[in-house]
Amino acid sequence: MSAFEPGLEFVFELKVRVDDPLRVGGTPDLNVTPIVGGTVSGPRLNGRVLPVGADWWVTRGATTQLDARYLIEADDGAAIDVVNRGYWHPQDSVEQRVHAGKKVGEAELYYRTAFVFQTGAEAHRWLTEAQFVGYARSEPDTVCIRVFRLR
């Protein structure tokens, strides 16, 4: 019996604009980053990221665990709820480049996420019927995530 190899289908890219993070309590370990807008563009979905939601993140050692929740408005006006959880784990040299504002690609940085979408819009039901993963990268004031449907 041969091993099954999963495939990925690119569906859209999110460019999520964020504000400065807020520290929770007196520790730098727990933060909340407000989501203030953005865009959605791709072969399967286009629209905008609404200025509703935030990313809660906890850093333990060299790994940051992410838990974001926000809304997308599709070009047809349908609202889509987004839950996006993942991990950010850079090598030290890459993290220094990120903090210096230098461009770092998805292949250089372990910045991976998994999505759950909810919507009552029939045209976008396909989002509620599959698993999606994201390959992310940072740009100034923006998190860019290429979103793929797992086949």
Side-chain angles (χ1 to χ4, degrees):
M1 184 166 131
S2 65
F4 173 73
E5 298 264 339
L8 298 174
E9 171 197 0
F10 173 68
V11 291
F12 55 86
E13 181 174 64
L14 291 162
K15 289 198 174 194
V16 181
R17 288 192 343 262
V18 295
D19 207 346
D20 292 333
L22 307 167
R23 286 202 169 144
V24 177
T27 173
D29 296 342
L30 178 57
N31 297 271
V32 177
T33 300
I35 292 172
V36 297
T39 61
V40 181
S41 61
R44 301 274 315 260
L45 184 65
N46 290 284
R48 65 187 184 122
V49 176
L50 297 175
V52 175
D55 183 5
W56 282 257
W57 47 282
V58 177
T59 300
R60 292 185 181 94
T63 301
T64 299
Q65 186 175 10
L66 310 159
D67 185 1
R69 186 155 198 170
Y70 49 99
L71 292 173
I72 291 172
E73 180 182 64
D75 277 351
D76 63 5
I80 301 164
D81 177 61
V82 180
V83 176
N84 185 17
R85 294 187 172 122
Y87 295 91
W88 187 76
H89 182 99
Q91 296 176 354
D92 288 340
S93 61
V94 174
E95 184 173 16
Q96 291 169 5
R97 289 176 43 218
V98 168
H99 291 301
K102 297 187 178 173
K103 189 172 184 172
V104 174
E106 294 118 346
E108 298 178 82
L109 174 67
Y110 193 88
Y111 195 173
R112 306 293 187 256
T113 66
F115 290 86
V116 174
F117 298 103
Q118 297 180 64
T119 184
E122 187 63 30
H124 305 293
R125 190 175 76 199
W126 63 275
L127 287 164
T128 69
E129 298 174 335
Q131 181 63 60
F132 295 84
V133 295
Y135 288 76
R137 68 187 185 282
S138 296
E139 292 182 359
D141 301 322
T142 303
V143 174
C144 302
I145 310 169
R146 289 186 313 124
V147 180
F148 296 83
R149 185 179 72 83
L150 189 60
R151 291 189 217 145

